[in-house]
Amino acid sequence: MAAPLEHENQVFLDLFHQDGLVICARGLGIDRILLRFLRLYCEPASLVLVLNTSPAEEEYFIDQLRSDGVVHLPRRVTNEITSNCRYEVYTQGGVLFATSRILVVDFLTDRIPSNLITGILVYKAHRIIESCQEAFILRLFRQKNKKGFIKAFTDNAIAFHTGFCHVERVMRNLFVRKLYLWPRFHIAVNSFLEKHKPEVVEIHVSMTPAMLTIQTSILDILNVCLRELKRYNPALEVEDLSLENAIGKPFDKTIRHYLDPLWHQLGAKTKSLVQDLKILRTLLQYLTQYDCVTFLNLVESLKATEKAFGQNSGWLFLDSSTSMFVNARARVYRISDDKISKKSKVSEKMDIKEGKELKRKLVLESNPKWEALREVLKEIESENKNSEDLGGPGQVLICASDDRTCAQLREYIIAGAEALLIRLYNKTFGKDERAGEEWIKDRKAVKSKGNARSDKGPQAKKAKVEASSKQNKIMKKQDLTLTQMMGKTEEENIKEEMEGYKELSSSEEISIEETKPEDFHLNLASDAYYGIFKTPLTIIHPLQGCSDPYALTRVLHEVEPRYVVLYDAELTFVRQLEIYKASKPGKPLRVYFLIYGGSTEEQRYLTVLRKEKEAFEKLIREKASMVIPEEREGRDETNLDLVRDSTSATVSTDTRKAGGQEQKGVQQTIIVDMREFRSELPSLIHRRGIDIEPVTLEVGDYILTPDICIERKSISDLIGSLNNGRLYSQCISMSRYYKRPILLIEFDPSKSFSLTSRGSLHQEISSNDITSKLTLLTLHFPRLRILWCPSPHATAELFEELKQNRSQPDAAIAMAITADSEIVPESDKYNPGSKDFLLKIPGVNAKNCHVLMNHVKSISELVTLSQDKLSEILGNAVNAKQLYDFIHKSYAEAISQGKTKR
């Protein structure tokens, strides 16, 4: 790892001397600061827990520490380590990455030596809300250990921008008093990075007229949809529903945040508008990100799908939409004039198959950024030719947003635009060899004219043509062989698709070693890269979508490129490049920044920048006015957040109880299944002063008393277990072994407290409805009770009320009960199978079942009883007759009796 930078030293020292929450700007290296703390505590003398890290992040931190020569590397505590061995792991000390579920259970069962913990490091601290597992761990830690430190890290300032006093609430859950803010405009960061600025070349690429028209059309449609959404839902925040926010990535979350609680009340129009906004944002992304063929394919699929055409909110019928379709097609092909004159004007609603009958003349507009990228690569290559002073040719790293873009760019650089566009066209719209041949001839003619009279900067072009290194030769030869290949496909009528490289490499002119992708086996930490040239090394890497979040960071430090081409702008990586340059001051770095001028892509980047700046400004104002109590850190007994009590402060003392003396009550206990620690409910129960005993239960999720067993279901889980029959078998087990089986249906507090939406209520009842299935469940299990809870908080309160004045459950007995066990509670002295059978017989119900079983030893004895005897036992002549007839009446008699009744 590189030497720490000035501002990183300051952050480290501040946090080392006093616990707190560090909020850093994206890309400024919050992971580097966490790494320094990990290195500091990687020794057996201390025991430090790290919360909120993913396996990929843990792997990265361990690799970095290993490369730094750390002897006692951090260890992982997962479910692979048995509960008996975990105490030994904890006592060995060092840094431990542990899953939240394991830590909660170990704190509750005292398997972890709380007094020996040096402290806790919390990563991605913006996620620490009151009810999450990490907050529960921190509370348990502070209750048992008053001396250990808590240090929290995050680089997501925008997360604190929403909600009232969000940062204060997070700090309260973290038990920290200090807030450290490090935005990019912080004077220490800004002045230091200005000294070590990389050379930046901004290239504002102009969009083609067709692309600009399409972009304007999509923005017009977006505007219309937003206006409609506001008209149907006046309560929505107008600021958040601006066009600027609508083109940004987090817009879906914003919409869901507002609409989720009343989603069940919304009409079909609003729901389709939300879906359309998503589609339109995808169209905007495809327009600037991919080629003309891919964009047209998406547009055509929208129009061709009758379902989408019939159910859309009406934007497909707008003039802007027509303009978008016309221009999207014009970028790929145009229909010959002679055909149009013969036929009537082609209708917009014409089916694609009919469209194919017309003679298409291919246009296949190239992506303007491709040409800019090729110019940049030529410039880099001519500089590399004269790079003796810098120690040889510099390596090149090209960064694009996702895998698909990277694959397209690789094929473009190696095979050229013609091969790529023809291959995509043939793959998407089927082979049209005549049109392909004509297009190639047109391209040749344009190229020959272009060589004679250059439109863009003739001097620069000449200079670049003169540069004749390996890379340039390869590019020229590829263009040449491409046309030859196209000629061959026409003459020999080869039906295989032009798969970029493999066909091209059949030409003898191309150096196979330098171009064949199979030969690229670079020993890089990331496997997401796309290799192009080996000398000088030129690779493309995606900015997003890698399984390893640090893949690009690893590649940057391993490849150590002299040139970085940002095909797509991404704020975090731009900042990473600044930090990289500052950490290697002697090495030259040039960054090429390709961006469409006046596009939504540029606007999206600027919006992210502005939002982060606004978030930090708000945090600075909040920090200035924040009132933090002295006991916030919980190092003494005065912090009320650590008090476990369910009674509120406003409840007055009952003076009837011996003059208000405190009554010594029994400590309440609830047995909780291990798997339930994924939910927030155990944390809330513990907060109310009830002890939790975590064990592995086969029957039920929560055992409140020896008689009360509860199976908790969220809505999604309830629907799934009703459909696959799992809930039925769970209810059989609960009813068999517990007197009071309860099904708890818990709703999400941010969503509606209703099982079915108003729109899905039908006049006719279907057996597939969730309500019908629940009704059948209650009919099958008369003793089963159903609890409806709007939130986990309400559930915790309800549990406390259900436990009042009742005895405590026994964990050993609860663990012994399994779905197949023969142990039946002492009160139940009957064969459960026979009892279930008996309850299904007509005339026998839950009320008279036990009376009958007390008088009759077996089913065989029941068959011998007369109707009068049954009437005497059951105390009801009607029930006795039903039971007697069921046993003794023949099938023929029952059928004839049924007919006479009709």
Side-chain angles (χ1 to χ4, degrees):
M1 186 179 162
L5 310 178
E6 279 177 23
H7 68 275
E8 289 177 353
N9 281 332
Q10 189 60 49
V11 177
F12 176 79
L13 289 170
D14 287 348
L15 195 57
F16 179 73
H17 290 304
Q18 191 168 3
D19 294 358
L21 165 63
V22 172
I23 303 176
C24 204
R26 276 195 183 282
L28 282 191
I30 197 80
D31 51 323
R32 287 162 61 97
I33 296 159
L34 178 61
L35 263 170
R36 287 190 69 181
F37 278 102
L38 294 178
R39 195 184 300 106
L40 180 68
Y41 295 113
C42 274
E43 52 182 35
S46 58
L47 171 58
V48 174
L49 304 174
V50 186
L51 300 183
N52 236 359
T53 49
S54 67
E57 287 162 346
E58 291 163 13
E59 192 66 49
Y60 172 73
F61 291 137
I62 292 168
D63 282 353
Q64 290 293 314
L65 292 168
R66 188 183 289 117
S67 63
D68 287 351
V70 173
V71 180
H72 295 282
L73 289 171
R75 288 162 299 148
R76 290 174 173 176
V77 180
T78 60
N79 53 9
E80 290 172 13
I81 301 171
T82 60
S83 54
N84 301 327
C85 302
R86 286 209 291 268
Y87 181 80
E88 195 181 326
V89 172
Y90 294 132
T91 49
Q92 284 169 6
V95 174
L96 294 176
F97 295 111
T99 62
S100 302
R101 193 162 66 92
I102 286 173
L103 280 180
V104 168
V105 171
D106 287 353
F107 267 113
L108 287 169
T109 54
D110 287 326
R111 198 174 285 129
I112 187 167
S114 307
N115 58 319
L116 298 180
I117 297 173
T118 315
I120 294 180
L121 301 171
V122 185
Y123 198 47
K124 292 183 284 215
H126 58 276
R127 296 183 182 172
I128 309 296
I129 55 169
E130 187 186 359
S131 53
C132 74
Q133 291 299 329
E134 286 74 24
F136 188 18
I137 291 165
L138 293 169
R139 199 166 76 242
L140 290 167
F141 168 66
R142 263 292 169 255
Q143 282 167 356
K144 298 178 178 190
N145 184 327
K146 302 292 182 189
K147 293 179 182 176
F149 65 75
I150 295 173
K151 302 182 193 300
F153 311 81
T154 182
D155 63 353
N156 191 345
I158 297 168
F160 296 101
H161 199 45
T162 54
F164 178 69
C165 292
H166 192 152
V167 70
E168 205 169 336
R169 281 182 288 147
V170 168
M171 287 171 70
R172 186 178 170 180
N173 296 328
L174 288 166
F175 298 98
V176 294
R177 294 183 67 237
K178 293 288 282 182
L179 176 63
Y180 303 103
L181 300 175
W182 288 86
R184 172 65 179 81
F185 55 81
H186 191 292
I187 191 157
V189 179
N190 199 35
S191 60
F192 177 71
L193 292 179
E194 283 296 310
K195 288 181 206 166
H196 305 280
K197 267 202 305 192
E199 185 189 345
V200 179
V201 181
E202 275 195 41
I203 301 170
H204 286 264
V205 184
S206 300
M207 295 169 80
T208 62
M211 286 173 79
L212 279 168
T213 313
I214 292 168
Q215 181 179 277
T216 310
S217 302
I218 297 172
L219 290 174
D220 286 346
I221 299 164
L222 261 172
N223 234 335
V224 171
C225 288
L226 286 169
R227 276 207 308 272
E228 286 287 291
L229 195 61
K230 288 173 194 169
R231 189 163 69 84
Y232 282 102
N233 305 279
L236 287 176
E237 284 263 352
V238 180
E239 283 180 20
D240 287 334
L241 288 187
S242 65
L243 189 61
E244 185 187 359
N245 287 338
I247 60 176
K249 285 179 184 173
F251 187 65
D252 286 343
K253 286 183 184 174
T254 311
I255 284 277
R256 298 298 295 184
H257 172 71
Y258 286 123
L259 295 180
D260 255 357
L262 33 116
W263 191 254
H264 64 296
Q265 296 173 358
L266 299 178
K269 184 80 174 174
T270 305
K271 288 180 180 177
S272 72
L273 277 167
V274 172
Q275 189 59 31
D276 289 342
L277 286 170
K278 202 171 177 181
I279 291 167
L280 290 164
R281 281 178 57 248
T282 308
L283 283 170
L284 271 178
Q285 188 200 344
Y286 269 56
L287 177 66
T288 52
Q289 200 65 52
Y290 306 121
D291 58 280
C292 58
V293 180
T294 308
F295 180 75
L296 179 64
N297 189 30
L298 177 65
V299 169
E300 293 281 18
S301 69
L302 284 176
K303 202 163 186 182
T305 314
E306 285 181 26
K307 189 181 177 188
F309 198 74
Q311 288 184 354
N312 90 91
S313 56
W315 67 267
L316 280 171
F317 306 109
L318 295 171
D319 291 343
S320 301
S321 148
T322 309
S323 164
M324 180 184 75
F325 284 117
V326 168
N327 280 286
R329 282 182 189 157
R331 290 177 70 206
V332 180
Y333 63 83
R334 65 173 186 271
I335 291 151
S336 308
D337 299 336
D338 56 332
K339 289 278 174 185
I340 291 176
S341 60
K342 285 177 188 174
K343 293 201 169 198
S344 59
K345 194 176 179 184
V346 182
S347 168
E348 272 300 311
K349 289 184 184 179
M350 180 184 285
D351 192 57
I352 293 168
K353 286 180 184 175
E354 290 174 26
K356 276 186 184 172
E357 290 169 16
L358 297 168
K359 187 185 175 185
R360 289 178 177 179
K361 191 165 185 182
L362 295 186
V363 177
L364 296 181
E365 180 181 276
S366 181
N367 195 328
K369 260 198 195 179
W370 292 353
E371 203 54 48
L373 177 65
R374 176 155 284 189
E375 293 291 321
V376 165
L377 289 175
K378 281 182 183 176
E379 185 181 313
I380 290 170
E381 198 236 328
S382 64
E383 285 196 11
N384 272 339
K385 195 185 171 193
N386 310 311
S387 60
E388 285 78 19
D389 302 342
L390 296 167
Q395 305 191 345
V396 185
L397 174 64
I398 304 168
C399 296
S401 69
D402 54 17
D403 269 322
R404 188 173 190 171
T405 315
C406 291
Q408 279 196 0
L409 288 181
R410 180 178 183 282
E411 191 175 345
Y412 166 72
I413 292 166
I414 292 169
E418 290 94 337
L420 171 57
L421 291 169
I422 280 285
R423 183 183 71 76
L424 287 168
Y425 181 82
N426 288 343
K427 185 181 174 185
T428 311
F429 298 105
K431 280 210 166 185
D432 189 347
E433 293 184 358
R434 197 180 305 156
E437 190 179 356
E438 283 178 16
W439 182 65
I440 292 293
K441 282 177 186 171
D442 290 346
R443 291 284 290 186
K444 273 187 186 176
V446 170
K447 276 193 178 181
S448 60
K449 280 182 188 175
N451 290 340
R453 181 175 51 83
S454 175
D455 296 328
K456 295 182 196 170
Q459 291 173 346
K461 284 251 178 174
K462 281 176 189 174
K464 277 159 193 163
V465 168
E466 282 168 15
S468 57
S469 71
K470 274 185 185 177
Q471 188 174 335
N472 213 357
K473 278 181 183 172
I474 289 165
M475 285 183 178
K476 285 181 182 176
K477 285 172 185 174
Q478 280 161 1
D479 285 349
L480 181 68
T481 49
L482 174 70
T483 48
Q484 288 176 350
M485 288 301 298
M486 284 307 298
K488 282 180 187 174
T489 36
E490 296 306 323
E491 290 159 22
E492 295 162 18
N493 229 351
I494 298 169
K495 290 185 180 177
E496 295 171 1
E497 260 190 15
M498 284 190 64
E499 255 289 285
Y501 224 35
K502 288 174 186 173
E503 289 192 13
L504 285 164
S505 57
S506 63
S507 163
E508 289 174 5
E509 290 183 89
I510 294 180
S511 160
I512 292 169
E513 277 184 18
E514 287 189 322
T515 53
K516 211 172 183 183
E518 286 75 16
D519 288 345
F520 268 98
H521 294 298
L522 301 174
N523 191 20
L524 292 181
S526 167
D527 56 356
Y529 70 89
Y530 293 75
I532 302 172
F533 303 113
K534 264 197 172 179
T535 49
L537 180 64
T538 305
I539 61 171
I540 307 181
H541 200 287
L543 289 161
Q544 292 149 353
C546 304
S547 55
D548 177 7
Y550 293 99
L552 190 52
T553 313
R554 290 175 195 257
V555 168
L556 181 65
H557 286 276
E558 282 181 36
V559 173
E560 295 190 348
R562 188 182 301 161
Y563 306 100
V564 175
V565 184
L566 289 174
Y567 186 82
D568 292 303
E570 210 257 327
L571 180 64
T572 310
F573 188 61
V574 171
R575 298 249 178 88
Q576 269 188 34
L577 287 172
E578 286 186 299
I579 297 291
Y580 167 75
K581 176 69 178 85
S583 64
K584 297 179 186 290
K587 292 206 169 189
L589 174 68
R590 184 185 295 170
V591 179
Y592 290 93
F593 207 101
L594 302 184
I595 200 155
Y596 282 116
S599 69
T600 53
E601 178 193 29
E602 185 181 35
Q603 184 57 54
R604 210 176 291 133
Y605 180 74
L606 295 173
T607 304
V608 172
L609 261 176
R610 180 181 61 78
K611 285 200 168 179
E612 189 185 75
K613 185 169 177 282
E614 284 174 2
F616 268 113
E617 285 168 352
K618 184 186 175 188
L619 285 168
I620 291 163
R621 288 194 301 273
E622 276 190 33
K623 184 182 177 180
S625 59
M626 205 182 281
V627 179
I628 298 168
E630 194 66 36
E631 67 277 0
R632 167 61 56 81
E633 291 190 350
R635 293 185 187 272
D636 47 33
E637 299 299 330
T638 52
N639 189 330
L640 296 174
D641 289 329
L642 295 174
V643 176
R644 293 174 58 207
D645 192 10
S646 57
T647 55
S648 60
T650 54
V651 176
S652 58
T653 310
D654 188 356
T655 53
R656 288 185 178 186
K657 292 179 180 176
Q661 289 179 20
E662 282 191 23
Q663 303 293 310
K664 285 189 178 178
V666 179
Q667 177 56 46
Q668 302 282 358
T669 308
I670 290 179
I671 296 166
V672 182
D673 183 32
M674 289 281 196
R675 288 160 293 224
E676 278 299 300
F677 283 94
R678 292 191 187 96
S679 74
E680 56 192 285
L681 185 55
S683 162
L684 300 171
I685 293 169
H686 187 268
R687 190 82 182 259
R688 298 189 75 85
I690 300 169
D691 281 350
I692 289 173
E693 213 167 328
V695 296
T696 304
L697 297 175
E698 280 203 34
V699 176
D701 293 328
Y702 296 85
I703 311 296
L704 269 57
T705 71
D707 296 338
I708 299 176
C709 172
I710 294 180
E711 182 69 37
R712 189 188 71 89
K713 296 284 180 194
S714 62
I715 298 302
S716 55
D717 194 16
L718 176 73
I719 293 166
S721 52
L722 276 172
N723 288 340
N724 62 22
R726 194 172 79 249
L727 184 57
Y728 182 80
S729 54
Q730 286 170 336
C731 288
I732 287 175
S733 303
M734 285 200 300
S735 303
R736 183 168 292 171
Y737 301 114
Y738 292 94
K739 281 184 181 176
R740 294 187 180 176
I742 295 174
L743 171 64
L744 167 72
I745 299 171
E746 194 175 84
F747 289 79
D748 187 337
S750 64
K751 296 187 180 174
S752 64
F753 184 39
S754 64
L755 203 56
T756 51
S757 61
R758 284 190 303 187
S760 63
L761 291 174
H762 306 292
Q763 287 186 333
E764 289 188 16
I765 297 169
S766 164
S767 60
N768 290 325
D769 286 347
I770 184 171
T771 42
S772 304
K773 288 178 178 176
L774 274 177
T775 310
L776 284 170
L777 198 70
T778 49
L779 287 170
H780 274 290
F781 304 101
R783 284 193 294 136
L784 181 72
R785 296 287 174 266
I786 297 179
L787 296 180
W788 305 83
C789 287
S791 70
H793 289 268
T795 308
E797 196 175 336
L798 194 62
F799 279 11
E800 191 179 18
E801 287 175 15
L802 286 170
K803 279 190 68 63
Q804 280 177 8
N805 305 321
R806 291 196 168 94
S807 55
Q808 304 311 310
D810 187 329
I813 294 171
M815 285 173 71
I817 294 172
T818 63
D820 307 318
S821 68
E822 295 299 319
I823 307 164
V824 179
E826 290 176 2
S827 58
D828 210 349
K829 301 167 186 173
Y830 318 111
N831 179 352
S834 303
K835 185 183 173 182
D836 289 345
F837 175 74
L838 201 60
L839 281 165
K840 302 284 186 288
I841 297 175
V844 181
N845 53 43
K847 290 178 182 177
N848 60 25
C849 178
H850 284 276
V851 180
L852 190 61
M853 288 193 291
N854 286 336
H855 282 84
V856 184
K857 288 179 181 175
S858 63
I859 299 286
S860 56
E861 188 182 333
L862 176 67
V863 174
T864 61
L865 297 179
S866 65
Q867 188 173 335
D868 295 337
K869 185 65 177 170
L870 286 172
S871 182
E872 184 188 321
I873 293 167
L874 297 174
N876 186 315
V878 177
N879 285 345
K881 187 171 187 322
Q882 277 184 335
L883 178 56
Y884 186 81
D885 287 352
F886 173 77
I887 294 168
H888 296 285
K889 193 172 281 183
S890 67
Y891 176 72
E893 283 178 302
I895 291 293
S896 61
Q897 193 174 344
K899 283 180 181 175
T900 53
K901 277 184 183 177
R902 283 179 198 168

